[in-house]
């Protein structure tokens, strides 16, 4: 199986597995080749969310395509009937030994993941999946708490790690994931539920990367 992996920088591991996956050949590219997807058996686009216009190439293809899309759903991309699955591509989550995904073609992708010996779990086709939505909400609440002088950044991070056994505190999560990803997701979710509105202090926050 020949896999096209689209990302800015070649990676050694995906979903906790060394690249190439067993029984596969991997080709890295920063965008869809000029020749298109001919000659490939599968595509993993780890940067789809920054280039959603690629969806037209993927919906017209018959090969399985994995798109890194936390915010855009298959429904709004009009890709529900295509052999496409979206997955959580955010930093940290893409490196876990498990892939969080959503698709209408469950059997196709479950078979693929089993071939690659990947652990996986499926969620509904909603913005944020489970982990990104949960972490973004926690980050937002932390910024609200800091904004209201409830506690300091260090104390909030420490309290969350000790209280929930999370690997990172809310502000550490923000620095790891990037505030713009979190803000984009929260703004998308806030269109349906105002409790997701980003804190003013989060909107003005700048990480160091």
């Amino acid at each position: 199986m020949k896999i096209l992996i689209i990302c800015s920088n070649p990676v050694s591991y995906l979903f906790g597995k060394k690249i190439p996956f067993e029984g596969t050949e991997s080709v890295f590219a920063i965008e869809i080749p000029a020749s298109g997807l001919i000659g490939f058996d599968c595509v993993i686009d780890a940067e789809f969310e920054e280039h959603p216009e690629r969806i037209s190439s993927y919906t017209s293809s018959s090969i399985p395509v994995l798109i890194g899309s936390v915010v855009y759903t298959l429904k709004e991309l009009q890709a529900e009937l295509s052999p496409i699955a979206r997955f959580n591509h955010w930093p940290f989550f893409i490196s876990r030994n498990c892939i969080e995904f959503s698709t209408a073609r469950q059997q196709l992708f479950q078979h693929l993941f089993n071939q690659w010996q990947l652990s996986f779990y499926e969620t509904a086709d909603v913005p944020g999946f489970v982990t990104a939505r949960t972490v973004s909400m926690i980050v937002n609440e932390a910024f609200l708490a800091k904004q209201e002088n409830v506690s300091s950044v260090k104390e909030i991070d420490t309290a969350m790690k000790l209280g929930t056994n999370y690997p990172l505190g809310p502000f550490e999560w923000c620095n790891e994931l990037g505030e713009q990803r979190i803000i984009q997701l929260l703004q998308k979710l806030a269109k349906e539920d105002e409790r997701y509105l980003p804190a003013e202090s989060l909107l003005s926050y700048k990480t160091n990367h």
Side-chain angles (χ1 to χ4, degrees):
M1 175 180 284
K2 191 173 183 180
I3 305 174
L4 173 63
I5 301 177
I6 300 179
C7 60
S8 298
N9 299 298
V11 293
S12 300
Y13 286 83
L14 272 178
F15 318 124
K17 289 284 186 179
K18 188 172 178 59
I19 298 295
F21 301 135
E22 187 173 347
T24 72
E25 173 189 353
S26 297
V27 175
F28 287 93
I30 60 173
E31 59 185 18
I32 297 175
S35 57
L37 305 180
I38 296 173
F40 295 103
D41 302 300
C42 181
V43 178
I44 300 175
D45 188 340
E47 298 181 357
F48 173 84
E49 199 148 82
E50 290 74 34
H51 302 279
E53 71 279 357
R54 292 175 183 158
I55 195 63
S56 59
S57 297
Y58 297 149
T59 52
S60 61
S61 175
S62 60
I63 63 174
V65 178
L66 281 157
I67 57 173
S69 181
V70 169
V71 173
Y72 301 112
T73 65
L74 294 174
K75 182 177 181 179
E76 66 184 293
L77 291 169
Q78 299 182 343
E80 291 177 290
L81 300 180
S82 303
I84 296 175
R86 44 186 286 262
F87 69 94
N88 187 346
H89 69 298
W90 279 9
F92 184 87
F93 299 121
I94 196 172
S95 301
R96 293 184 303 169
N97 59 350
C98 183
I99 179 170
E100 182 180 24
F101 78 106
S102 175
T103 187
R105 304 286 294 276
Q106 290 89 350
Q107 288 188 339
L108 171 65
F109 285 96
Q110 287 176 10
H111 177 69
L112 200 61
F113 299 151
N114 284 328
Q115 272 189 294
W116 297 344
Q117 299 178 24
L118 293 180
S119 297
F120 58 87
Y121 66 95
E122 185 179 3
T123 76
D125 184 33
V126 294
F129 299 100
V130 174
T131 51
R133 177 187 288 235
T134 301
V135 168
S136 294
M137 193 66 167
I138 290 171
V139 168
N140 200 40
E141 286 297 321
F143 273 87
L144 287 171
K146 175 65 171 60
Q147 191 173 295
E148 295 167 7
N149 296 314
V150 173
S151 192
S152 69
V153 168
K154 184 177 180 180
E155 289 168 343
I156 291 172
D157 274 344
T158 299
M160 284 300 298
K161 285 189 287 188
L162 293 176
T164 63
N165 200 31
Y166 276 24
L168 300 172
F171 295 98
E172 292 171 331
W173 274 120
C174 187
N175 292 329
E176 174 73 20
L177 302 174
E179 78 283 351
Q180 288 306 315
R181 290 188 181 92
I182 293 169
I183 290 168
Q184 184 184 16
L185 176 57
L186 290 172
Q187 289 175 332
K188 179 72 171 287
L189 295 169
K191 292 178 181 179
E192 302 294 330
D193 190 336
E194 289 188 357
R195 68 192 172 116
Y196 289 102
L197 283 170
E200 289 298 324
S201 54
L202 173 58
L203 291 171
S204 60
Y205 186 73
K206 297 293 181 184
T207 56
N208 295 321
H209 56 261

